[in-house]
Amino acid sequence: EIWEAKWPIRNLLRVKGMELPVRVIGRGFLVLLVTVFATLIPDFGLVISLVGALGCNTIAFILPCLFHLKVCWSTLSTRGKLLDLVIIAFGTLAMIVCTVTAIGKILRGESTH
């Protein structure tokens, strides 16, 4: 595919002139990662809380403000820029607190049941 040609890792994955498919290696790594998580964290609710802590805060608070700043930087007032930066700071703080809490619950072996 086109996006694979842009990856410099393709040059590292050559074996005697034959390329190993990047997609196969990527999928294999993803399956291995999910298997390790499933083995180490038997309570699915804890995994969901970790994913939510990382993903939801990023999607809800951080990315929209970053996009808004990127697209509208030249037309935004100082107050508008400051508001976006405050929301980004809040989202980052919330993401850190939620992630630390979720990892703490996983390490303590707490259950969501």
Side-chain angles (χ1 to χ4, degrees), residues 33-99:
L33 187 66
V34 169
T35 303
V36 168
F37 274 131
T39 304
L40 295 177
I41 308 168
D43 190 355
F44 188 67
L46 295 175
V47 175
I48 293 299
S49 67
L50 181 60
V51 170
L54 292 170
C56 293
N57 283 311
T58 303
I59 292 171
F61 295 111
I62 299 169
L63 289 180
C65 292
L66 286 176
F67 295 152
H68 185 244
L69 285 173
K70 176 75 174 170
V71 172
C72 303
W73 181 264
S74 60
T75 60
L76 278 177
S77 66
T78 304
R79 182 176 172 258
K81 291 175 186 175
L82 185 61
L83 180 61
D84 278 342
L85 292 173
V86 166
I87 294 171
I88 290 169
F90 171 76
T92 303
L93 180 65
M95 180 176 63
I96 291 169
V97 169
C98 293
T99 302

